[in-house]
Every structure is written in C-alpha cells, then in structure tokens.
Amino acid sequence: MILKEKKLGEILLTRRTITEEDLEKALAEQLQTKAFLGQILLRRGAISKQDLAQAVEDQLGVPAVELGETAIPGELGSLLPESFVRTYRVVPFKLEDDVMHVAMSDPLNVSSIESMRLVTGLEVRAFFAPEEDVLLATNQLFDGRVAAYKAIEDTSGLQDDETNSVTVRDLERMVEDAPVVRLVDSIVQGAISGSASDIHVEPRERDVRVRYRVDGILYDMMQIPKRLQAAVISRIKIMAGMNIAERRLPQDGRIAVANNGGDYDLRVSTLLTVFGEKVVMRILDKSSVLLQLEDLGFLPEQQTVVESLIAKPYGMVLSTGPTGSGKTTSLYTALNRVNREDFNIVTIEDPVEYQLANVNQSQVNVPANITFARGLRAILRQDPDVIMVGEIRDLETAEIAVQAALTGHLVFSSLHTNDAASALPRLLDMGVEPFLIASSVIGVIGQRLLRVVCRSCRTTYHPDSNILDQLGVPQEDRGDHLLFSRGTGCPACSNRGYRGRTGVFEVLRVTDAIKRLVMEGRSALDVRDAAVAEGMVLMQQSGVRQLLDGATTPEEVLRVLYVQEE
C-alpha cells in the first residue's frame, strides 16, 4: 500500500470541508486523547461520515464501506474472536470466495491485517468505516443478549437456587462454572458496548431482571432464571472483591474491565431486598472525561463566562444539579482546561472517578477518618494553586473551601441544588457567613443532561402550537420555517430515537448586585431575578435553544427542564 504524503487535515482544508479553527481544536484534542484525527472531527460535528470516507480514500487509497446499509451475515461472527474484533476496531462484513472483506477504523494497522490472515487463513481486503459504525456493527454481530441466553442454556445442570440454603462451598463451585462466567461477562460487555452508565441486577419473585441505564433512562434487557440468582450475584461479588458469605449487609467493590480497546472501572454496590441481593454496577469510562469546554453543550455566551471564571487566579466556582446531571464531568473538564505545568492541582473526591494527568488526586476514606474537610485541610498544606473538592456536604467543608478561595486559591466544587441561584442561599443555610460567601464565590454553573436525537435516523417536522405554548416559544420565532427534530428509531440507537446526551446550563456570575443580595440574606428567587437582569440565560431557555438547533426533542426538554413544582 503506497501512502500519499498529504495529511488528512490538509486534504479536508483543501476541500474547504473544515476551517483552520476546526483543525486547530481537533489537533489540540488529539494531543490529549491520541485518537484518530478524522474521528475527532466527526464527533465534533465538523465533518460528515461521507466527508471522512472520501478524505481517507484520497489519503490512503482505501475504499470506504457504509456499514449502516450493509447486512452482515451472523456466521461471520465465527471468523474472528470477539476480543480481537473489539480491540482492533475491525469487523468482517462479507466473505467472497477466500477473501474476507473487513471494515476498519484504522486501515493503516498492517499488523492487525496480517493477524487476521493468520487467524482465518483467508485473504483480507481492508475497507474504511468510521469507528462508531464499526462498533455498532460489532455490537450487532456479537449481541450480548444472544451470548447471555446461550450461556443460560448451558447452565441447565446447576441446581435450583434456594438462596438461604446454598452454602459458601456450593457458591464457590457454581461461580467457577464456565457458563456462569460467560453469562456475567456478556451482561457486562453488553452494557459497555451499549453505552450504558449503570447495570442493575434485580432479584424478583420468579426471576432476576437485568436492566441497563442508557442516556439516563433504565431499560429492561433480559431475565435470568431464579435458579441462577445465587451464582450470578456471587460471581459479580467475587469479581468485585467482596465477601460472598455475607449476604445481609450492603457491600461495595470495584471491577476493572477492558472492552473495545478501552479501560473501564465498574463501581459495584449490593443491597439486600425482599427477594435477595440486588447489585448495581456503575460503569466509568476512563477516556470519556477527556472533554473540551465546547463539547459540554454551553451556549457561546455561557462558555465565554465560564472561561473568564476559571481563568481567575482565585475564588470559588460551584457546579450544581441533582445526582447524575454531569457535575463531575464539568468539574474535570474545567480542571483539564486550567491544567498547566506550573500549577499544583490537588483534589479530594468521593471516590476518584477518573484519573487526570498531572493532577494530584486523593479520595475520602471514612474508615481512616479522611473526610472532605480533613482532606481539604491537608491539601492546603500542599502548596496548591487549584483545588477541587468533590462535593460540599457540611458546614466544616464549606468554611474551609471558602477560606481557601479567600487566601489565593482557585477552588472548584459541587452542591446539590436545583439551579444556580439556589447555591448561594444553600451556603447561607449551612451556616457560612454572608460576607464570606460574597467574597469567595465568583460563579455558579447549574446543569442538567438532555438526550440527543440520533443522527442516523434524525428527521424534522413542524411542531404543534400546544408544544410551543408549553415551551414558551415567542410568537416571532414561530412559523413554517420552524422545524423540530426527532429520531424515528434505528439499529444505531437501538430504536430509541436518542443517542448520547449533552449538557444544558445556566451560568451565574457573582456580581456586585448579587453580592449585596447575599449580604442581605435574600432568597434564591431574588438572586435568580437579579442574575437574569444582568444577562444570565436560564436552563429552560438554554434547553429551548438546543431544541431550536435540532439537538433534542420538545418531549425531552419538557421532561428534564419543565418539572412542575407542587
């Protein structure tokens, strides 16, 4: 294969497919993630799949294949090991005589092509396909549920599960049974491949239900026979380093998993229910936190404010929202932006969810009496420039964080409040002195997560006037030109119409007017009104902007942002 000297970015620039600014941002991200430049540009929306395919063909002379329009025979799944397919981002899609046609996200990987020849004894013809298309085709070829149900069929020899009568020796024997191992592995791998954030294994009266949380919503995935309950739960507990003999008390553990060439951490938690131990596994993708501010979903004017806040030499910036609203990702992204060689950045978290390069991360350890407050005190003796406190939960932590911000440190932290304006009264309610809050807090970011319309099945339509009334869309913005988007459902999104999520924000800058309101002990409503008068865009307005841009649906905006107060 003879490669042309011209680089992919240069080809796209010459074709005027991207701008210099697009290329600079993508190259900056590539320095951090080491990902394929074309994949970065595709994910950022700077180019289409067709643009990328044409550019790669020009650059490498490798033809492209549209996997979404290609029916892959199921028997091709036996040609290559699933682990190989996922690790090297390759998928066989056609067998013609003794030639295997393979879609690859990296057609330059000559060693993987040679390995495929050795494994299969076939000639290999490489085609280019974007990484997300390769992964989607892989998931369809190696469906986790198919593997799980096949493993269940192979467990017919295991005894019925009477949870209280199964001995520890019985459990040790059962969890080493190959079909049980395959069953648990298929549940985990299926969740990761399906972009789930959590796995729920829930004992019921007659069976065990497995559910995945995808884009914030729980979906039923499979039912496991009751006879396998003890074996499956115990297998997970052993993988997580838990005590399988203890079935009454809650336990926590951790599992390291590799999938699709990526590394994942599973945080495992057990809880005794009426029908047995329930297990929840939180999936943490170590690479997913490497985001840029512009990837989070800020409106342009909001991003400008955030950039000005985190560029300050000292002060406190708070991220607020309910559990699962993306606060940790936002804080990590802010840390990533201020991460410099001449800075000492230290964190105290509960727990450390992702490891950041050049950041000194520590975590809460209750048995060792390391709380947020005690850890924060220790951090202040470590000559920090930037501090991140995972969450402010009590007065002691709040007061130390405020003092750190007042004494020349940039402090990032989070609070559980419904909106940005409520963060300041919440600190007052904790007992922090008003003048300390007014002097230390420089900004608050309120946020939620909205599901994004699937790009593979996205269609547009004219919205109903009732929806526009509920959303408060002004009359001047209505008319035949107004189109909303929705997904019709396709294999790429598992027929859900949504794929992925984006943040929706409100960014409150603490101005002199707001400081006066804090000093007077005024309500969150007063603070919000003052912030809006000074230009703050509310989350609901941000959501409508996302909707008008075609990123999400009115139903999603109403579900997440228009919760009626009783």
Side-chain angles (χ1 to χ4, degrees):
M1 185 184 297
I2 299 175
L3 303 182
K4 299 181 180 180
E5 292 296 326
K6 208 165 188 182
K7 295 181 179 179
L8 183 68
E10 293 173 354
I11 293 173
L12 292 168
L13 279 175
T14 302
R15 291 181 168 191
R16 298 184 178 179
T17 307
I18 61 172
T19 64
E20 291 279 2
E21 183 182 5
D22 291 331
L23 183 57
E24 287 175 8
K25 289 180 178 178
L27 289 172
E29 182 173 340
Q30 189 183 42
L31 283 175
Q32 289 187 313
T33 64
K34 310 301 180 187
F36 174 43
L37 180 66
Q39 188 63 37
I40 295 171
L41 288 165
L42 184 63
R43 183 177 57 77
R44 296 171 71 90
I47 60 175
S48 67
K49 292 179 182 178
Q50 292 74 21
D51 295 330
L52 179 57
Q54 291 169 6
V56 169
E57 189 162 354
D58 282 357
Q59 183 193 29
L60 306 178
V62 176
V65 60
E66 177 52 69
L67 289 175
E69 300 174 1
T70 304
I72 303 178
E75 57 268 21
L76 295 188
S78 63
L79 293 177
L80 292 169
E82 182 180 357
S83 58
F84 182 96
V85 170
R86 293 193 180 279
T87 300
Y88 292 100
R89 305 288 206 275
V90 300
V91 63
F93 65 90
K94 185 179 179 182
L95 184 60
E96 195 173 64
D97 297 327
D98 290 332
V99 179
M100 181 173 63
H101 294 218
V102 179
M104 308 179 65
S105 63
D106 180 10
L108 281 177
N109 194 332
V110 178
S111 64
S112 68
I113 294 175
E114 186 58 33
S115 297
M116 285 186 279
R117 287 197 182 103
L118 292 173
V119 169
T120 63
L122 301 168
E123 285 300 310
V124 176
R125 187 181 179 199
F127 290 75
F128 169 75
E131 184 176 289
E132 65 175 351
D133 288 6
V134 172
L135 293 179
L136 175 62
T138 301
N139 293 341
Q140 292 170 347
L141 192 59
F142 301 100
D143 190 312
R145 281 176 290 190
V146 173
Y149 286 126
K150 177 64 172 66
I152 289 171
E153 289 178 12
D154 295 341
T155 60
S156 56
L158 288 180
Q159 66 179 35
D160 286 350
D161 171 25
E162 296 294 340
T163 305
N164 292 323
S165 63
V166 177
T167 67
V168 173
R169 182 171 295 179
D170 290 334
L171 288 175
E172 290 173 344
R173 176 183 57 79
M174 292 166 69
V175 299
E176 292 175 359
D177 193 76
V180 172
V181 173
R182 294 204 321 270
L183 173 57
V184 173
D185 285 349
S186 66
I187 291 171
V188 171
Q189 299 291 347
I192 294 174
S193 300
S195 301
S197 61
D198 301 86
I199 305 169
H200 291 241
V201 182
E202 303 171 324
R204 298 191 293 190
E205 186 175 6
R206 293 184 175 83
D207 62 13
V208 179
R209 176 172 63 172
V210 177
R211 295 194 289 173
Y212 295 166
R213 187 178 294 279
V214 181
D215 295 334
I217 307 295
L218 275 172
Y219 296 95
D220 281 8
M221 298 307 296
M222 67 185 78
Q223 285 75 43
I224 298 172
K226 191 71 174 176
R227 62 185 173 81
L228 297 178
Q229 176 176 318
V232 168
I233 301 297
S234 297
R235 171 63 185 168
I236 295 171
K237 290 170 70 175
I238 284 177
M239 291 170 68
M242 297 179 182
N243 180 3
I244 62 171
E246 178 55 73
R247 304 177 203 169
R248 296 170 299 174
L249 297 177
Q251 295 186 65
D252 294 298
R254 184 171 178 172
I255 304 173
V257 176
N259 179 284
N260 289 337
D263 295 322
Y264 299 82
D265 274 338
L266 271 59
R267 301 290 164 79
V268 186
S269 170
T270 67
L271 177 70
L272 182 63
T273 69
V274 173
F275 299 113
E277 285 181 286
K278 171 177 175 173
V279 176
V280 174
M281 291 177 271
R282 165 65 56 88
I283 302 170
L284 301 174
D285 180 357
K286 293 181 179 180
S287 65
S288 68
V289 76
L290 295 174
L291 298 173
Q292 305 296 318
L293 278 178
E294 49 267 30
D295 297 328
L296 295 182
F298 288 110
L299 300 177
E301 60 268 37
Q302 292 175 331
Q303 184 173 327
T304 300
V305 175
V306 172
E307 287 176 341
S308 71
L309 290 174
I310 64 177
K312 302 281 187 187
Y314 57 86
M316 186 190 298
V317 179
L318 296 171
S319 177
T320 71
T323 300
S325 60
K327 298 188 299 296
T328 299
T329 299
S330 294
L331 290 175
Y332 277 158
T333 303
L335 279 184
N336 209 28
R337 175 60 68 93
V338 302
N339 197 349
R340 294 177 3 198
E341 288 293 331
D342 59 336
F343 269 9
N344 177 24
I345 303 176
V346 193
T347 75
I348 176 72
E349 307 169 51
D350 184 22
V352 172
E353 293 193 9
Y354 304 96
Q355 295 178 2
L356 299 175
N358 303 318
V359 175
N360 304 287
Q361 296 173 265
S362 62
Q363 67 183 28
V364 168
N365 186 338
V366 175
N369 197 27
I370 308 245
T371 61
F372 274 120
R374 191 166 186 178
L376 185 51
R377 280 201 186 92
I379 287 173
L380 290 173
R381 296 192 289 271
Q382 291 283 310
D383 185 31
D385 297 290
V386 180
I387 300 169
M388 187 186 92
V389 185
E391 184 183 343
I392 294 177
R393 297 175 180 171
D394 52 53
L395 174 60
E396 186 180 12
T397 306
E399 286 182 333
I400 302 169
V402 164
Q403 289 297 334
L406 290 174
T407 53
H409 305 91
L410 183 60
V411 179
F412 297 122
S413 191
S414 70
L415 274 176
H416 284 283
T417 63
N418 287 329
D419 56 21
S422 300
L424 303 176
R426 173 64 58 85
L427 291 174
L428 284 172
D429 292 341
M430 284 184 177
V432 182
E433 293 292 339
F435 73 93
L436 292 177
I437 299 172
S439 303
S440 61
V441 181
I442 58 175
V444 185
I445 303 168
Q447 68 181 86
R448 297 287 191 281
L449 291 174
L450 292 174
R451 288 184 293 172
V452 174
V453 174
C454 175
R455 289 185 295 175
S456 300
C457 60
R458 178 178 176 269
T459 61
T460 58
Y461 68 99
H462 292 287
D464 183 87
S465 59
N466 290 331
I467 286 287
L468 298 179
D469 291 339
Q470 291 180 60
L471 294 168
V473 176
Q475 289 294 332
E476 59 268 23
D477 290 338
R478 305 186 188 191
D480 291 339
H481 66 282
L482 182 60
L483 293 173
F484 284 174
S485 299
R486 63 185 166 207
T488 57
C490 67
C493 59
S494 300
N495 293 313
R496 295 172 185 138
Y498 298 96
R499 193 174 180 205
R501 287 190 290 179
T502 187
V504 58
F505 301 90
E506 58 188 21
V507 182
L508 184 153
R509 187 201 295 270
V510 180
T511 61
D512 289 340
I514 291 175
K515 289 179 181 179
R516 284 193 294 271
L517 294 177
V518 173
M519 293 290 290
E520 295 167 6
R522 302 282 283 276
S523 69
L525 184 59
D526 292 333
V527 173
R528 187 189 70 177
D529 290 344
V532 170
E534 295 189 339
M536 182 177 79
V537 181
L538 294 173
M539 263 189 285
Q540 291 181 343
Q541 297 169 324
S542 300
V544 171
R545 292 266 292 273
Q546 298 261 27
L547 174 62
L548 296 175
D549 288 341
T552 189
T553 65
E555 293 78 13
E556 182 69 359
V557 171
L558 290 170
R559 180 184 73 86
V560 175
L561 300 176
Y562 284 73
V563 179
Q564 296 296 320
E565 300 288 345
E566 296 295 335

